[in-house]
């Protein structure tokens, strides 16, 4: 989304009906207007099959960069729909998930909105994901790995037709042993170790995905040092590397280097790279541990001589 401030309100019930079922309602206004209602059943049977469902309406301000233009065009992306997902463990630390997604997407930018973006899209898809997660702590990983492989087929139930293949691998290497508590204070706080983290993202589409179902790179969660959605295309390849240096239990500094691109497809000539190019971003930031999750502040540079400040809540990887 385009940079800006948002306020949000979340209500959740973690033990609905006394059966550990979870329900939540999220309302957000500002740079993004979001309404989302979610429901989750962790155990449908003895094999730990889980069921999750959500309904949403998201109106997000975004930017698109036309080839040759310095200033991006702004538009509003309205996405309404829902998802239903079934998940089951198939091995230790490994789950298989099947997802039904129904999406209706509209873009609005007034008379200046390029015709290609104004085309409405309807996506009805079936997806299959395999996930293996051996991280020691998903919010603050100090070791282990996360791997995901996904296949999504759209068009079987009508709407736009395309196939999406994607994969992600994250790995964490502790560079020192964490300090051990000393003395008789069992609750003594200790500084976590320095960690080198890396993430590899890759994906492609078969067929022609609609504009907002392409891959997008740029911003604090993908290619740092660039503006949000700076690169787009039918294919994506991205490598993130981050060195995390803790100053205390709740504060750490980071150094990062990212490289990658999103390219190709029917929109590439007007808005992106027709062929793959290497785009490099690098910089530094801080992470602050809070009850809401990690708060991120990153300041990055890129090979074009520009810089970008990013703020976010929650881990990037």
């Amino acid at each position: 989304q385009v940079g800006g401030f948002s306020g949000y309100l979340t209500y959740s019930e973690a033990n609905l009906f006394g059966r550990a079922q979870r329900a939540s309602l999220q309302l957000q206004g500002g740079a993004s207007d979001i309404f989302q209602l979610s429901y989750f059943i962790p155990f449908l049977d003895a094999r730990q099959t889980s069921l999750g469902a959500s309904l949403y309406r998201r109106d997000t301000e975004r930017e698109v960069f036309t080839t040759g233009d310095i200033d991006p065009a702004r538009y509003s992306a309205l996405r309404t729909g829902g998802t239903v997902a079934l998940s089951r463990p198939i091995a230790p630390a490994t789950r298989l998930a099947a997802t039904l997604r129904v999406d209706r997407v509209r873009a609005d930018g007034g008379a200046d909105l390029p015709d290609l973006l104004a085309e409405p899209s309807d996506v009805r898809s079936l997806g299959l994901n395999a996930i293996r997660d051996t991280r020691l702590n998903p919010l603050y990983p100090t070791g282990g790995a996360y791997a995901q492989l996904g296949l999504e087929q759209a068009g079987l139930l009508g709407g736009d037709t395309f196939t999406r293949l994607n994969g992600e691998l994250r790995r964490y290497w502790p560079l020192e042993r964490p300090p051990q508590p000393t003395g008789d204070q069992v609750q003594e706080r200790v500084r976590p170790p320095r960690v080198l983290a890396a993430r590899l993202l890759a994906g492609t589409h078969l067929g022609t995905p609609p504009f907002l179902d392409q891959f997008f790179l740029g911003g604090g969660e993908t290619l740092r040092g660039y503006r949000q959605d700076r690169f787009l295309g039918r294919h994506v390849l991205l490598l993130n590397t981050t060195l995390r240096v803790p100053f205390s239990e709740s504060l750490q500094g980071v150094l990062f280097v990212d490289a990658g691109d999103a390219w190709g497809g029917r929109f590439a000539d007007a808005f992106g790279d027709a062929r793959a190019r290497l785009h490099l971003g690098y910089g530094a930031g801080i992470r602050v541990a809070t009850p809401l999750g990690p708060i991120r502040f990153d300041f990055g540079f890129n090979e074009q001589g520009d810089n970008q400040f990013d703020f976010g809540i929650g881990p990037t990887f």
Side-chain angles (χ1 to χ4, degrees), residues 10-14 23-25:
T10 300
Y11 173 79
S12 62
E13 176 59 56
S24 65
L25 173 65

Side-chain angles (χ1 to χ4, degrees), residues 39-88:
Y39 185 67
F40 181 71
I41 303 175
F43 304 111
L44 284 177
D45 55 27
R47 300 186 62 179
Q48 299 183 11
T49 302
S50 64
L51 171 67
S54 66
L55 295 173
Y56 48 79
R57 183 186 186 277
R58 303 168 183 157
D59 191 356
T60 305
E61 295 296 320
R62 303 182 69 164
E63 294 178 335
V64 63
F65 294 79
T66 305
T67 302
D69 289 343
I70 299 176
D71 295 326
R74 291 199 173 195
Y75 67 98
S76 176
L78 175 61
R79 185 183 295 268
T80 58
T83 62
V84 177
L86 281 170
S87 174
R88 171 179 289 180

Side-chain angles (χ1 to χ4, degrees), residues 201-246:
L201 290 173
T204 188
H205 288 92
L206 307 177
T208 304
F211 182 80
L212 287 170
D213 271 272
Q214 299 180 102
F215 296 108
F216 290 85
L217 283 188
E221 296 186 2
T222 54
L223 187 57
R224 292 165 289 190
Y226 288 92
R227 293 176 69 162
Q228 191 78 21
D229 296 347
R230 179 61 183 84
F231 305 106
L232 59 88
R234 198 176 71 166
H235 318 288
V236 68
L237 184 63
L238 173 67
L239 176 64
N240 303 110
T241 57
T242 302
L243 174 64
R244 299 171 179 162
V245 181

Side-chain angles (χ1 to χ4, degrees), residues 27-265:
L27 300 174
Q28 179 174 318
S32 294
D33 293 328
I34 297 176
F35 167 87
Q36 180 165 317
L37 180 64
S38 303
Y39 185 67
F40 181 71
I41 303 175
F43 304 111
L44 284 177
D45 55 27
R47 300 186 62 179
Q48 299 183 11
T49 302
S50 64
L51 171 67
S54 66
L55 295 173
Y56 48 79
R57 183 186 186 277
R58 303 168 183 157
D59 191 356
T60 305
E61 295 296 320
R62 303 182 69 164
E63 294 178 335
V64 63
F65 294 79
T66 305
T67 302
D69 289 343
I70 299 176
D71 295 326
R74 291 199 173 195
Y75 67 98
S76 176
L78 175 61
R79 185 183 295 268
T80 58
T83 62
V84 177
L86 281 170
S87 174
R88 171 179 289 180
I90 58 174
T94 304
R95 298 186 70 88
L96 193 64
T99 303
L100 169 66
R101 175 166 73 103
V102 178
D103 254 347
R104 172 167 291 186
V105 183
R106 302 290 184 269
D108 182 16
D112 295 332
L113 184 71
D115 292 340
L116 284 175
L117 273 70
E119 297 176 0
S121 64
D122 291 278
V123 177
R124 305 180 186 102
S125 69
L126 295 173
L128 188 65
N129 282 273
I131 300 172
R132 179 170 176 79
D133 190 352
T134 61
R135 293 174 295 177
L136 301 182
N137 183 338
L139 282 180
Y140 305 94
T142 57
Y146 173 94
Q148 176 265 333
L149 288 174
L151 167 66
E152 183 180 21
Q153 179 61 56
L156 296 177
L157 304 174
D160 293 273
T161 301
F162 62 90
T163 302
R164 178 186 181 105
L165 302 168
N166 66 282
E168 177 179 2
L169 177 63
R170 310 176 193 178
R171 187 71 173 87
Y172 307 89
W173 295 273
L175 302 181
E176 59 184 343
R177 291 186 177 182
Q180 300 299 313
T182 59
D184 298 329
Q185 296 182 348
V186 178
Q187 299 298 325
E188 180 183 354
R189 296 183 176 183
V190 297
R191 178 181 59 82
R194 289 175 292 176
V195 174
L196 178 63
R199 174 176 67 173
L200 179 65
L201 290 173
T204 188
H205 288 92
L206 307 177
T208 304
F211 182 80
L212 287 170
D213 271 272
Q214 299 180 102
F215 296 108
F216 290 85
L217 283 188
E221 296 186 2
T222 54
L223 187 57
R224 292 165 289 190
Y226 288 92
R227 293 176 69 162
Q228 191 78 21
D229 296 347
R230 179 61 183 84
F231 305 106
L232 59 88
R234 198 176 71 166
H235 318 288
V236 68
L237 184 63
L238 173 67
L239 176 64
N240 303 110
T241 57
T242 302
L243 174 64
R244 299 171 179 162
V245 181
F247 304 127
S248 66
E249 184 190 37
S250 59
L251 180 66
Q252 62 180 217
V254 301
L255 298 173
F256 60 84
V257 178
D258 301 337
D261 192 20
W263 74 95

